[in-house]
Amino acid sequence: MITVAGVVDAVGAALLKVVVPADEAEVRDVTLAEVDDATSGQSGDLVLGAGIGTPDQALAVVARYAEAGAAGLVLKPPLAGHPAVTAAAAERRLTLVELQSHGSWAQLVWLLRGVIDRAVAPGPADTGETGVYDELFALADATAAVVDAPVTIEDAQSRVLAYSSRQDRADPARVSTIVGRRAPGNVVAHFRSRGVFRKLATGSELIFVPQGPDGTLPRLIIPIRAGGELLGSIWAVVEGPVPAARLRDLQGAASVLALHLLRLRVQADVARRVSADRLRAALRAPGRMGREELALPEGPWRVVGLGAHGGTGEMVDNLAMWESITRRHGWRQPLIADVGDVLFAVLVDGGESPGSRRWMERLIRDIAVHDPGLYAASGGVARNLTDLPRSRAEAAELLALHGPARQRGPVLRFEDQWAEVVVHRVVRAVPSADLLVGGPLPDLVAHDRQHGTDYVATIAAWLEQQGDPKRAARQLHVHPNTLRYRMRRLAEVVAVDLESPRTRLALQIQLAALGPAPGAPRPAA
């Protein structure tokens, strides 16, 4: 299933943007708007207003296709932003999408067909559609014939997507780039020093780089752009400046390649969305999908909750950020999905390779040295797919406890934090008002508020440190004699038998329900 918003996200802001959001209807097909056919339109259609030229026609189309249950309507400006048209779409709850003025309807139909077909029958998430890659290699050969030079086609991150069959003028930099599927660091540094990447990022002009050190041959670099967005580039190893006629042909080849790179990006995005949807479903409840369908390696696994605190302490769950971090450190296809407001990763419990629990814990600890806002919480081991929801629930529970348990580090594991979990479950199961009905704690809270004392924090630290005055004083940053004095004074305020294990347990549960006292961590049972 894919919605209109999913289609827009997959195609990208270079071509589409939602003008009037409405219900998240499933897109089942793409159709062209028929101005004069009153019977046209079916439920689930994404309607393209290619022949709509006036506001009156647009209003008629909105009314007709909203009645038919269409998923959405695509118009070009200025019709897409016409006040009467947007108001009619909003009133009839029909999603209205704008095709950017530079986009062509033929290009959009081609891209949308790939998106919808991919969503209905997605292939392997990491490969995309084989035919598109074959076409890229064929286009690389055709481009090499135009410029009479060997070429590579690279994406916006300088990763090699395809290269021509003829590489007769390949220098060491070209050989390393093709073998490694990415330009080596020294080669990147050489071209960066010539301003190549800055020019690629900001302009559409062809770039000629003369011969460089260490036998690096001249390069002709052609940006591949769509709607002002850099999608990739063509790199040709040339002998010298290229004739103007060939340069025009190369720019035409770049326009064709832009469509293919858009299509690749769309396919990769749709595949990722489908994979995330399947993983999300498996984390919520056991389903009928097998390990292969979920793209899971062999288990056992652990579900890990991923979190981040912003500068003001608020929690930030950013799928793109975590995917970027994990990919950059070697996890090629991160198994990450959001369930509710929490982000989860499914990791292999054993081993040290990317995608394993130990690898993730090491990664987060290394990152936390420079960015202490990132943290994770690991649920228990899931030996079967049916255990994934339970591991996910445990990870979510630990993640919620991360704030009060921060001093224990950026990575929490269920086995290490079971005491916190037990107390948390007890507190969560009983209303706080019912837990704070008796004993000395309510009186100590009232005394602290009335007299400005710190008896609640004092007894919390004393319980946390099992009655050791030196450690409790160190926790509160006071002298041990100060702590002993406070303990004598609070015993005069309330009657409390701290020799009783049951009393100590009850106080710890009450303190957990009350929340962490100033200067003291939440006590654990």
Side-chain angles (χ1 to χ4, degrees), residues 399-414:
L399 208 61
L401 291 172
H402 179 271
R406 253 183 172 176
Q407 72 279 5
R408 292 171 174 83
V411 179
L412 303 179
R413 286 199 300 168
F414 189 78

Side-chain angles (χ1 to χ4, degrees), residues 437-463:
V437 291
L441 193 61
D443 292 336
L444 288 178
V445 170
H447 191 279
D448 280 354
R449 289 173 179 169
Q450 184 176 357
H451 300 283
T453 51
D454 294 312
Y455 293 154
V456 173
T458 300
I459 199 168
W462 191 92
L463 290 167

Side-chain angles (χ1 to χ4, degrees), residues 35 50 142 156 198 207 210 221 260 267 284 348 360 364 368 444 479 481 507 518:
V35 179
R198 175 177 52 79
I207 306 165
I221 304 149
H260 284 75
Q267 289 173 348
R284 280 179 171 146
V348 176
M360 178 66 86
I364 292 176
L444 288 178
H479 193 276
N481 288 339
L507 280 171

Side-chain angles (χ1 to χ4, degrees), residues 430-438 513:
V430 180
S432 297
D434 292 342
L435 290 174
L436 297 171
V437 291

Side-chain angles (χ1 to χ4, degrees), residues 283 290-292 294-304 335 345-350 355-357 378-388 390-391 415:
L283 290 174
R291 180 176 64 82
E292 293 78 9
L294 295 170
L296 287 177
E298 290 194 15
W301 311 276
R302 281 181 189 263
V303 180
V304 175
L335 295 168
V346 179
L347 305 171
V348 176
D349 188 49
S356 67
R357 174 183 59 83
S378 169
V381 177
R383 303 193 181 279
N384 302 294
L385 293 179
T386 53
D387 293 333
L388 289 176
R390 186 258 308 154
S391 184
E415 296 90 329

Side-chain angles (χ1 to χ4, degrees), residues 85-151:
V85 176
T86 57
E91 180 183 355
R92 295 177 179 271
R93 303 193 63 79
L94 178 68
T95 302
L96 182 61
V97 179
E98 179 181 276
L99 171 63
Q100 304 288 0
S101 56
H102 59 77
S104 73
W105 290 107
Q107 178 187 20
L108 181 62
V109 170
W110 184 64
L111 287 171
L112 290 178
R113 179 53 57 199
V115 170
I116 296 169
D117 291 347
R118 186 76 171 168
V120 172
D126 59 340
T127 61
E129 187 176 309
T130 305
V132 179
Y133 284 102
D134 291 342
E135 292 167 7
L136 282 178
F137 277 91
L139 285 168
D141 284 335
T143 306
V146 169
V147 75
D148 190 27
V151 305

